[in-house]
């Protein structure tokens, strides 16, 4: 998956990936997310800037966040069970 050059005024959650959802399958068959690049994304404000939540048996893998800028966020990031996360030039509320 490649996401590039996106501008957002406001978002509840700007970047959101999870393998920890509990749908009708009861969480027994979590999805696979790997080889994801998000590049050149700008957002004025967000409730949560970056949410990347995997489960121990199905972690997110090889996620690249490059040139992501969020003016302000209530929650800068939530990251659990992620392997190979790279953050390059990521700023939330002016902080890297």
């Amino acid at each position: 998956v490649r996401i590039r050059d996106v501008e957002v005024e406001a978002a509840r959650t700007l970047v959101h990936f999870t393998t920890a959802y509990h749908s009708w399958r009861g969480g027994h068959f979590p999805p696979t997310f790997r080889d994801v690049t998000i590049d050149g994304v700008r957002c004025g404000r967000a409730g949560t800037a970056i949410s990347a939540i995997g489960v121990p048996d199905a972690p997110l893998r090889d996620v690249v966040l490059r040139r992501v800028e969020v003016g302000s966020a209530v929650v800068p990031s939530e990251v659990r069970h992620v392997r190979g996360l790279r953050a390059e030039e990521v700023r939330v509320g002016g902080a890297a």
Side-chain angles (χ1 to χ4, degrees), residues 10-14 45-49 72-76:
R12 183 178 300 170
T13 303
L14 179 63
R45 63 185 185 283
T48 300
S72 65
V74 175
V75 177

Side-chain angles (χ1 to χ4, degrees), residues 18-20 30-33 53-61 81:
T18 185
T19 62
T32 299
F33 287 107
I53 301 171
V55 294
D57 292 338
L60 299 166
R61 296 179 184 272
H81 303 293

